[in-house]
Amino acid sequence: MRTFLAASAALPALVSALNVVDKRGVTVYNPTMTTTATAADATYTGAAAYDTTVLNPPAPPTDVAKDFPVQLMSGGMDGLSIKQKGSFMGFSIELSVADQIFGKNSSHLQVPFLNHMSNLKARAGKVSLRVGGNTQESAVLFPEGFNTGYVIQKFRRPGSTPTETPLIYFSPELIYSMKNVSSLIPTEYYFGLNWIDPNNFTNSVLVAETVENILGDDLLALQLGNEPDLYDRHGKRPQNPYTFDLYMNEFQQAVTQLNAAPAFTNRDILLAPSSCCFWNETELFQQGFVERFKDSLKILSVQHYPSNNCKINGNILDPQTIYPDFLRHGNSGYSPVSMVNPYRSTSAVAAQYNKPLVMLETNTASCGGFPGISDSFGAALWSADLSFQLAAANFSQALFHVGGQNVYYNPFTPPPTNQSTFHQWTTGAIYYAALVTAEAFGPTGNSQIVDLFMNGNNDYTPGYAIYENGHPSKVVLFNYITDPSGANDYVAHIAVGGGETGQPAAIPNSVKVRRLSAASVNQKYNITWAGQTMGDQFGSDGRMKGELQTETIQCDTAAGSCAITVKAPSIVLVFLNDQTLADSTPPSEGPQTFATTAATKIRNTATVDQAVLATSNGHGGGHYGGGILGSTSVGSVSSAWRMAVPGMVAVVGGALGAVFVAFVR
């Protein structure tokens, strides 16, 4: 308890009223968001995660060529990126909802979440997750856990407003939950430290020691500071302006305290600055930040949303009006190219220091996104395009944010607790983009990405090539246009060498193709990837439905090209050889999936022998938040639970019911 008092006594007001217009995108914990105004003028008043708004797609442009060449070169191309990993597109999970995503505790994990991650692991080899966000700056670790049955507890200070970040108390059981997930599915983590008071860092040092000890090699980096360029504007620092010098001096203070902690042994594990909105990171790096902390910094990071739905100073953006700006590759304020351009010099400086650069948190818009945009097929196109664009600009990772029920942009959302016995999860459009990128980047770690600027660098028909070991292995083709008539489908003629390149033609006899498809950019659910779907709202257990469909397209070897039709709208992934297809394809029996062994809101649930699950469960008794779930009587904590925990772990499936099964393939 003394640790808690030392860590929390000096916590200042966490979020002050916003009174400035942001340059990029300001994140607010619980904003008031746009909830009405649909194309049909309907009104929706429920949770944002299940909003029914459907916008009108933009009219097709009239100046897009529908038939054009795509020229690749053998041996590489100018502009190839650094080598990228298959888990390039990952997820940033807000700390305050982490228990809703992972599970109630380390012994009761969420089956649908495991299945969502298993789909990606089967294609990319690994999954990348970050736990943090605004709420990390108000988070306090209770090393002894709670006797309430909770892993996370949230409190609002007297007099606080709904837009202020709540106090977050969490148990080590959260970290054990993360470890158990990675024991089932290879997962690497970023974890955020509370840096709200640089003079009262004791609890954060304890968090660093605890996370390092439990996660071990699964810990990718510890985030020190979340959007520090907003600290002065949000009242998190008394100094205004909060200058680079002040920031670096306080960063040094934190590093000194971490390095003095006996149980903190990984001294080059930090990730920073994670600025979002007002700093020029290139200037910060050039003023000595990277050089000064090069022995402590493992990864450099930024956070950026292209827009916001925060209604700052009454500035309300109409989703229908801005929707077309998300449906273009470049030449709009919200396009992937426009979003990445400010960071190209930052990426170059990071490369000079041999430090990876990560987009630690992003999505369509801060303050939860926009109805009809963030949850639409258009967002799937946009987020996939952004991931490829960031990779081509030598970022090493892009993590798309996951919030609670009050946001529009979630890639996956568990049902409200009071509906978990009859509703399943909802898979959002952005999750499908992660499937595409996982297969495109593949598990080899050798993929290099290049923007092809194809079709005269047209905004509606972008494309990328993926090279492995100097040879083209895949091509990704986008079509942002909605047109059910087929008049805006296009044909890309892919060639490798040949023609006037000075190289011999190296086109294969045939290629394999998989498609991300929807009827319109405004479609929300039942999107298909290679013929498979995650289903409708409240209809997903995390397993893909339907048969995997891979098309074979014969090439014209005489002409030296392969003609690929790209429907409006869609993404097409073209595999240029069978080995890259095999590398990115789940096993014939499908990805490893998990059947539930427990259901929420149901008594007398079952558990499964932990040895069967091959997971390294940590402490799970009453002290660490497991007491109520382990009791044979609702509302009590039994000694039988404490005895059972070291050998038991259950996975929770909500509406799937209680089934005594461990793994299902």
Side-chain angles (χ1 to χ4, degrees):
M1 185 60 68
R2 286 194 300 271
T3 302
F4 158 64
L5 291 173
S8 64
L11 286 176
L14 298 170
V15 179
S16 62
L18 295 175
N19 55 11
V20 295
V21 178
D22 70 341
K23 182 176 69 174
R24 295 181 184 167
V26 179
T27 306
V28 177
Y29 175 74
N30 188 23
T32 302
M33 294 176 290
T34 305
T35 57
T36 57
T38 73
D41 292 327
T43 299
Y44 175 81
T45 58
Y50 315 110
D51 191 277
T52 58
T53 300
V54 176
L55 302 177
N56 292 318
T62 58
D63 58 348
V64 178
K66 309 301 192 307
D67 194 284
F68 51 84
V70 176
Q71 182 66 60
L72 308 181
M73 303 292 289
S74 297
M77 294 180 68
D78 291 340
L80 284 178
S81 74
I82 60 175
K83 292 183 178 181
Q84 304 288 9
K85 56 188 177 183
S87 59
F88 181 91
M89 183 176 175
F91 303 109
S92 163
I93 299 172
E94 188 67 43
L95 175 61
S96 61
V97 301
D99 56 339
Q100 300 171 33
I101 302 298
F102 293 120
K104 283 185 174 294
N105 57 45
S106 68
S107 299
H108 284 71
L109 302 178
Q110 288 276 22
V111 166
F113 173 71
L114 294 175
N115 287 339
H116 277 92
M117 297 303 102
S118 185
N119 293 330
L120 300 176
K121 179 267 177 185
R123 293 161 168 83
K126 185 176 286 190
V127 177
S128 297
L129 301 174
R130 174 252 194 153
V131 177
N134 276 4
T135 51
Q136 79 186 53
E137 298 281 41
S138 64
V140 178
L141 172 67
F142 276 65
E144 294 302 315
F146 312 118
N147 289 319
T148 60
Y150 294 104
V151 172
I152 293 175
Q153 297 192 71
K154 307 171 197 175
F155 300 92
R156 293 203 179 278
R157 292 174 292 102
S160 65
T161 67
T163 58
E164 290 190 70
T165 307
L167 294 173
I168 303 295
Y169 302 157
F170 70 100
S171 159
E173 190 73 4
L174 172 64
I175 316 304
Y176 283 113
S177 297
M178 295 164 60
K179 181 63 177 179
N180 280 356
V181 168
S182 63
S183 297
L184 294 167
I185 299 167
T187 306
E188 55 188 7
Y189 293 102
Y190 305 87
F191 195 87
L193 301 177
N194 182 340
W195 200 34
I196 194 69
D197 184 354
N199 298 313
N200 192 10
F201 199 58
T202 305
N203 192 262
S204 295
V205 172
L206 178 62
V207 172
E209 293 175 317
T210 303
V211 171
E212 180 188 349
N213 178 56
I214 296 173
L215 293 185
D217 292 340
D218 296 331
L219 176 61
L220 192 56
L222 290 169
Q223 179 191 0
L224 181 57
N226 186 72
E227 299 175 346
D229 51 329
L230 296 180
Y231 279 178
D232 47 9
R233 293 168 173 85
H234 287 182
K236 295 182 179 181
R237 292 293 190 273
Q239 306 94 336
N240 193 347
Y242 186 58
T243 64
F244 288 166
D245 285 340
L246 287 169
Y247 167 70
M248 287 190 282
N249 289 339
E250 291 185 349
F251 199 92
Q252 180 66 69
Q253 186 177 341
V255 168
T256 300
Q257 292 181 68
L258 285 168
N259 289 345
F264 183 72
T265 61
N266 196 340
R267 303 298 169 80
D268 61 345
I269 197 69
L270 296 183
L271 171 146
S274 305
S275 46
C276 68
C277 309
F278 291 97
W279 284 357
N280 183 313
E281 290 79 14
T282 301
E283 292 180 1
L284 173 65
F285 296 172
Q286 291 175 339
Q287 288 192 26
F289 177 70
V290 184
E291 178 64 32
R292 182 174 176 180
F293 299 107
K294 62 184 179 182
D295 294 332
S296 300
L297 284 169
K298 181 179 180 181
I299 298 171
L300 300 173
S301 60
V302 294
Q303 302 178 189
H304 180 38
Y305 294 79
S307 184
N308 75 79
N309 193 14
C310 305
K311 298 182 174 61
I312 301 171
N313 294 331
N315 181 25
I316 299 175
L317 297 176
D318 173 42
Q320 183 64 69
T321 301
I322 65 175
Y323 196 22
D325 288 338
F326 284 92
L327 301 173
R328 303 179 68 171
H329 177 61
N331 295 314
S332 77
Y334 308 141
S335 72
V337 171
S338 296
M339 181 168 161
V340 174
N341 278 342
Y343 295 107
R344 297 189 191 278
S345 61
T346 305
S347 173
V349 175
Q352 292 173 11
Y353 285 93
N354 198 29
K355 299 289 185 183
L357 178 63
V358 166
M359 179 63 72
L360 190 65
E361 179 181 327
T362 190
N363 214 301
T364 45
S366 61
C367 294
F370 292 105
I373 295 178
S374 304
D375 51 0
S376 72
F377 184 64
L381 299 175
W382 176 88
S383 55
D385 193 1
L386 176 60
S387 294
F388 284 106
Q389 189 64 205
L390 286 165
N394 291 329
F395 276 72
S396 294
Q397 191 106 64
L399 304 177
F400 287 75
H401 204 51
V402 182
Q405 304 286 323
N406 64 334
V407 303
Y408 302 101
Y409 53 47
N410 282 342
F412 38 78
T413 308
T417 302
N418 61 357
Q419 299 178 25
S420 62
T421 57
F422 55 90
H423 275 157
Q424 298 187 61
W425 284 40
T426 298
T427 302
I430 287 176
Y431 177 78
Y432 291 89
L435 293 171
V436 175
T437 58
E439 289 200 20
F441 286 68
T444 65
N446 291 321
S447 293
Q448 295 177 273
I449 319 301
V450 61
D451 189 334
L452 294 172
F453 303 102
M454 67 186 203
N455 197 16
N457 199 25
N458 187 275
D459 279 340
Y460 300 99
T461 61
Y464 299 86
I466 295 97
Y467 276 69
E468 296 181 65
N469 302 314
H471 302 289
S473 63
K474 307 179 192 80
V475 177
V476 186
L477 307 170
F478 287 74
N479 191 335
Y480 274 107
I481 303 168
T482 293
D483 184 356
S485 74
N488 278 282
D489 298 352
Y490 70 80
V491 178
H493 299 267
I494 300 173
V496 181
E500 299 179 359
T501 65
Q503 295 182 340
I507 200 69
N509 291 325
S510 64
V511 295
K512 301 295 194 300
V513 164
R514 289 177 179 161
R515 302 179 185 273
L516 184 69
S517 302
S520 168
V521 292
N522 66 12
Q523 184 173 325
K524 291 174 178 280
Y525 308 113
N526 293 306
I527 296 164
T528 60
W529 168 243
Q532 296 183 307
T533 183
M534 303 297 286
D536 211 334
Q537 186 181 81
F538 295 122
S540 175
D541 65 1
R543 291 180 287 189
M544 302 193 74
K545 305 169 185 177
E547 295 297 321
L548 182 67
Q549 297 176 5
T550 306
E551 303 172 35
T552 299
I553 296 179
Q554 299 299 320
C555 299
D556 186 343
T557 53
S561 64
C562 301
I564 310 297
T565 299
V566 183
K567 296 184 178 298
S570 69
I571 300 175
V572 175
L573 177 58
V574 183
F575 296 88
L576 299 179
N577 63 71
D578 289 342
Q579 184 58 54
T580 60
L581 175 68
D583 289 341
S584 297
T585 298
S588 57
E589 65 271 25
Q592 182 184 44
T593 59
F594 303 84
T596 183
T597 60
T600 59
K601 309 291 285 185
I602 294 177
R603 301 185 182 188
N604 302 324
T605 58
T607 56
V608 174
D609 189 335
Q610 188 179 23
V612 175
L613 291 180
T615 180
S616 56
N617 182 47
H619 303 291
H623 280 308
Y624 286 88
I628 290 176
L629 287 175
S631 173
T632 56
S633 300
V634 174
S636 67
V637 180
S638 69
S639 59
W641 165 254
R642 295 188 184 92
M643 294 174 62
V645 164
M648 296 287 184
V649 62
V651 281
V652 180
L656 296 178
V659 183
F660 197 77
V661 179
F663 290 165
V664 176
R665 282 187 176 270

